[in-house]
Amino acid sequence: MKLYFRPFACSLAARIALEEAGLDAEFVEVPRDGTLPDGRAFTEISPMGYVPAIETSGGFTLTEGPAVLTYIAELAPEGMLNFTGFSDAHYRMLGWLNFTSTELHKAVFAPILGSGFSDGEQDAARVRAARPFAVLTRHLEASEFLGDRFSVADAYLLAVLNWCEFSKVPIADWPVLLAYRERLRARPSVAQAMAAELPLLSRAA
Ligand SMILES: N[C@@H](CCC(=O)N[C@@H](CS)C(=O)NCC(=O)O)C(=O)O
């Protein structure tokens, strides 16, 4: 499998998932100008130009983080990143993937990290963090992970919470989330994935 990524983007979650499951993958960094090392435009693989995207050895290409993560989870050894199909826990995990994608990634962080948004729009995005952060706090006060064990939903939420300081989203006001992020960062798969991308981040900056 090939994972197209940018350092510390949401694609970090897919790297964490691959690491956690011990699945082999080739990692292809997508340059800023979108021209891949083999000369192709990245939009041939990911029409929106977004990471993550994966290409399987069978030639199947998939984009959209929650779908990519669910695919990796289903390739992983039973129960490692996912929950039994058709169980309540499985659908709750899909719910958390969507929650992170829509209520945090796109509603809060995309306007701050993306281009073309005014200062006022960015401030409004920071304010929007309060409601999903309160929901997550209530949930994580009583739970170590989003589900009853680690899943790809945690990998995605961690990748997004990593952006708080850079985006000036005040995670320090949310100690339960801060503690959750620290717990996850101490997990070997997360620590290894972050260590692999950290040197690339300073180069890309
Ligand atoms: N809908 C996409 C969004 C992915 C996305 O926003 N990726 C960002 C990195 S976190 C990206 O590639 N941005 C590059 C750009 O905006 O050109 C998904 O869920 O995977």
Side-chain angles (χ1 to χ4, degrees), residues 8-131:
F8 277 79
C10 49
S11 47
L12 178 69
R15 186 191 286 267
I16 292 168
L18 290 164
E19 195 70 62
E20 180 86 22
L23 294 169
D24 276 337
E26 183 186 339
F27 297 91
V28 180
E29 184 176 350
V30 179
R32 266 179 201 284
D33 73 359
T35 308
L36 294 170
D38 65 8
R40 281 184 301 170
F42 181 51
T43 47
E44 286 179 38
I45 292 148
S46 174
M48 291 290 286
Y50 289 151
V51 294
I54 53 171
E55 271 178 353
T56 64
S57 41
F60 171 56
T61 301
L62 186 64
T63 58
E64 296 299 318
V68 166
L69 289 169
T70 306
Y71 181 84
I72 295 171
E74 283 170 5
L75 282 184
E78 176 93 35
M80 183 168 266
L81 285 166
N82 205 342
F83 299 92
T84 314
F86 295 104
S87 64
D88 295 357
H90 175 78
Y91 292 107
R92 277 197 293 264
M93 182 194 84
L94 297 181
W96 285 121
L97 285 171
N98 198 62
F99 179 90
T100 300
S101 176
T102 56
E103 306 300 337
L104 287 172
H105 183 173
K106 287 297 167 182
V108 174
F109 292 95
I112 302 172
L113 296 171
S115 54
F117 294 91
S118 67
D119 289 353
E121 286 169 324
Q122 297 192 335
D123 287 344
R126 287 186 186 95
V127 170
R128 268 200 300 280
R131 204 160 146 214

Side-chain angles (χ1 to χ4, degrees), residues 127-151:
V127 170
R128 268 200 300 280
R131 204 160 146 214
F133 275 14
V135 168
L136 285 168
T137 293
R138 271 198 303 280
H139 185 73
L140 290 166
E141 262 163 0
S143 179
E144 188 177 355
F145 303 110
L146 290 170
D148 58 15
R149 54 185 164 68
F150 182 81
S151 78

Side-chain angles (χ1 to χ4, degrees), residues 177-193:
L177 297 191
L178 209 50
Y180 166 78
R181 192 178 68 173
E182 286 319 298
R183 272 199 307 280
L184 290 185
R185 283 181 177 175
R187 201 175 173 86
S189 62
V190 175
Q192 277 169 30

